[in-house]
Amino acid sequence: MATTLKDIAAACGVSIGTVERALKGKGRINPEVAEKVRKVAKEMHYRPNIVAKGLVNRSRKYKIAVVLHIQGNDFYDTVMAGVRSAANEILDYGIETQIYPCPDFDAEAQVALIDQALADGASALAIVPIDAPAVIARVARLHESGFPVVFLTAFLPEPTCLCSIHCDYYRSGRIGASLLQYLAGPGSRVLACMPSYRMLGNHLRKDGVLDFIRNPACPMELVNLVELTNNTEKDAELISQQVRLHPEIDSLIYCGNAKSAQLVLQDRTQIKHAVFYDLSPEIRDLLLNGSIDAAITQSPEEQGHRAIMVLFQYITGHTVPPEVVLFDSHIKLKESID
């Protein structure tokens, strides 16, 4: 059973009101008593009741704005599933969640969407920030004004936010390259396809792949690196062109919309081994039918859900989150898919 304020009060020999003041850091209270209360609360593994905090603020209406950076993307479709799940959970507590899609990697449009969200009455912002001066400056101004901002699945060079939720992109790049080495073996010749470097995380994932493969100790050869566009037809042509120009390519590491790669992988006579990122329905099918060897997941749905809940807890209960919440990368094989 969860520890309550009453339990802590009984253990400390004080009133519930004293416990509340000690844990909130507000009101007049003896510092020694406050320290004792906080120590006992920690030892008893006390966790604030988020629902109760939401009820306290039920009379006030809040709005969480979610500003994206692209449209029509497998990974972010799953992120948005997590966002909508959390939005449904908090709707009864007076919290509205509104999603603002953005033209692909358009920094000026993203800044305009931030301003639109504020004009629409947003109380907090979850954003997938484009690594561009205009976005960096606008987010920094929000942060300096005390407006709660959470970075969702991405981040900026300056941590101008309440909380940044993402994975270790550089490490995930090294994981993908390392996994491909185990699968393809020495002498494999690799084509790496990575999403737009306009997102700092994507840039770091690319660096992780390159640093691993270009290490003299790595027995693989990187034939080429392709920056994808998030356009299915264009990306399919980019990949096909590389496969045609370089018949020696026999392995693929791929992070992008699966539909583009599906068009290329219909003929597996050249690509013997492939590691993909994420687990969209299309990638799941590729894994189950043996078109690819493995997928590396980054918990997109959980990241979307966490971003909304962090903002919910902050605006209703003033619960300050950690500055960074990192999600692990997980390797999925055909045998581990339900």
Side-chain angles (χ1 to χ4, degrees):
M1 183 179 294
T3 299
T4 66
L5 295 178
K6 184 177 180 181
D7 297 330
I8 299 171
C12 295
V14 298
S15 69
I16 293 177
T18 298
V19 173
E20 288 181 328
R21 289 194 296 276
L23 296 181
K24 291 181 179 178
K26 297 180 179 180
R28 298 180 63 182
I29 182 172
N30 185 299
E32 293 181 358
V33 173
E35 178 61 28
K36 179 181 178 181
V37 168
R38 288 192 288 269
K39 181 179 178 182
V40 170
K42 184 176 180 180
E43 291 172 349
M44 297 178 72
H45 305 291
Y46 172 71
R47 295 291 182 272
N49 188 325
I50 296 170
V51 173
K53 288 182 176 182
L55 288 171
V56 170
N57 293 279
R58 186 187 285 270
S59 61
R60 180 178 173 183
K61 299 298 181 182
Y62 297 96
K63 176 182 285 188
I64 296 174
V66 182
V67 174
L68 300 178
H69 65 309
I70 53 174
Q71 301 182 41
N73 179 275
D74 300 337
F75 180 81
Y76 284 97
D77 287 347
T78 311
V79 172
M80 288 303 101
V83 165
R84 292 187 177 95
S85 174
N88 288 333
E89 292 176 29
I90 65 177
L91 187 60
D92 286 343
Y93 303 105
I95 314 290
E96 178 188 353
T97 303
Q98 186 169 350
I99 299 170
Y100 295 79
C102 179
D104 291 357
F105 312 112
D106 188 331
E108 295 299 332
Q110 190 172 65
V111 170
L113 288 172
I114 293 172
D115 292 337
Q116 182 62 55
L118 296 176
D120 292 342
S123 311
L125 172 68
I127 184 172
V128 187
I130 298 169
D131 184 14
V135 175
I136 293 171
R138 188 67 185 92
V139 170
R141 290 199 300 275
L142 279 179
H143 183 65
E144 290 166 2
S145 72
F147 191 87
V149 177
V150 165
F151 291 164
L152 172 56
T153 75
F155 54 99
L156 294 174
E158 297 296 327
T160 49
C161 61
L162 175 69
C163 177
S164 182
I165 297 172
H166 54 87
C167 72
D168 186 332
Y169 286 100
Y170 180 81
R171 186 182 185 193
S172 77
R174 292 187 63 87
I175 290 171
S178 176
L179 181 58
L180 187 60
Q181 177 185 320
Y182 282 115
L183 294 167
S188 57
R189 297 179 177 182
V190 182
L191 172 65
C193 300
M194 296 286 115
S196 172
Y197 309 152
R198 296 196 67 183
M199 309 302 295
L200 182 56
N202 293 344
H203 188 84
L204 292 174
R205 185 196 290 110
K206 178 260 298 180
D207 287 346
V209 170
L210 294 182
D211 287 352
F212 187 93
I213 296 179
R214 288 176 174 171
N215 188 304
C218 179
M220 298 188 295
E221 176 189 342
L222 181 67
V223 176
N224 212 343
L225 173 69
V226 174
E227 181 180 4
L228 301 174
T229 68
N230 196 48
N231 180 290
T232 300
E233 290 73 24
K234 288 182 180 179
D235 290 343
E237 178 53 33
L238 284 172
I239 304 165
S240 297
Q241 183 182 55
Q242 289 299 314
V243 171
R244 290 194 304 268
L245 291 174
H246 301 282
E248 71 275 20
I249 291 173
D250 57 20
S251 301
L252 175 67
I253 182 167
Y254 183 87
C255 184
N257 270 346
K259 298 181 183 68
S260 303
Q262 275 181 318
L263 301 175
V264 179
L265 291 175
Q266 290 172 356
D267 181 3
R268 273 183 54 89
T269 57
Q270 182 172 340
I271 305 298
K272 306 296 183 183
H273 297 282
V275 170
F276 275 42
Y277 282 86
D278 308 316
L279 195 62
S280 66
E282 292 82 5
I283 293 177
R284 178 186 291 267
D285 290 342
L286 290 172
L287 196 57
L288 289 174
N289 68 28
S291 295
I292 65 175
D293 299 287
I296 298 172
T297 67
Q298 301 162 106
S299 306
E301 188 166 354
E302 290 83 354
Q303 290 192 50
H305 187 277
R306 178 71 67 86
I308 299 304
M309 297 310 293
V310 161
L311 289 171
F312 168 61
Q313 294 170 30
Y314 182 79
I315 62 180
T316 61
H318 304 292
T319 301
V320 179
E323 291 183 359
V324 177
V325 175
L326 280 181
F327 279 79
D328 290 332
S329 297
H330 301 280
I331 296 171
K332 293 288 187 180
L333 305 174
K334 178 180 180 179
E335 289 73 17
S336 63
I337 301 296
D338 293 333

